[in-house]
Amino acid sequence: MDSQVVIWIRVAGMLGVVAQAPGEPFRMVAEKQAAASESLFAMARAASRGASPDHVMSAALNPYSKRTQANSRRLTRRL
């Protein structure tokens, strides 16, 4: 649910429907790069500890989930 909210608000911001911070598009790209790096590291750490495949995937998705929830809270505060 959080990811859909974030996508909707960011698309609406790019279309000019809602106001967005000037650096929001850059922030969006930078966050994705950081989340991808953190995700890869978490996945490698879990796999090196012998975790099951579903735990490895969970570790990989956790950084994205945290950022999405934080973005949802931050972006909906302004609405």
Side-chain angles (χ1 to χ4, degrees):
M1 184 67 159
D2 286 323
S3 63
Q4 294 302 314
V5 169
V6 171
I7 291 168
W8 183 86
I9 293 172
R10 284 189 164 157
V11 168
M14 286 182 230
L15 293 173
V17 176
V18 296
Q20 74 175 8
E24 192 64 35
F26 174 77
R27 183 178 186 162
M28 179 175 56
V29 173
E31 285 176 343
K32 285 182 180 20
Q33 292 172 339
S37 174
E38 191 177 326
S39 175
L40 209 62
F41 181 73
M43 189 171 60
R45 185 174 54 225
S48 70
R49 292 180 179 166
S52 64
D54 59 324
H55 284 103
V56 172
M57 282 306 297
S58 179
L61 293 174
N62 195 35
Y64 289 105
S65 178
K66 286 180 182 179
R67 280 183 169 76
T68 302
Q69 288 174 356
N71 282 333
S72 179
R73 282 191 304 272
R74 180 177 57 81
L75 293 170
T76 55
R77 251 189 317 212
R78 291 191 235 163
L79 295 179

